Amino acid sequence: MGRRKVELKRIEDKSSRQVTFSKRRSGLFKKAHQLAVLCDLELVLNVFSGNGRPYEFSSGNSPTCPS
C-alpha cells in the first residue's frame, strides 16, 4: 500500500482549499528547513496566499525584506 497520486486541479471548496494551503505551506517550510540544515544553506522562501497574504521562511541570520 502506497500513497495515492493526487490529481492536480483547483480545489473549488474555499474552506477545503484554505486547509490544504495551510497544511502544504507548513510541509513546504519544514522541507525548506531540512534542506537548509542538511546542506548548510541560508534559505529564504516567500509564499503568498490566494488573498495575497505573505508568508515567509528564513534560515540563518540573513535580513528579511520589509513588507
Side-chain angles (χ1 to χ4, degrees), residues 22-51:
S22 184
K23 287 181 179 180
R24 288 190 174 239
R25 182 189 70 227
S26 63
L28 183 62
F29 286 178
K30 182 178 178 182
K31 289 291 185 184
H33 172 72
Q34 291 173 353
L35 181 62
V37 170
L38 290 172
C39 298
D40 192 27
L41 301 172
E42 287 193 22
L43 185 71
V44 175
L45 179 64
N46 292 311
V47 177
F48 294 89
S49 70
N51 297 333

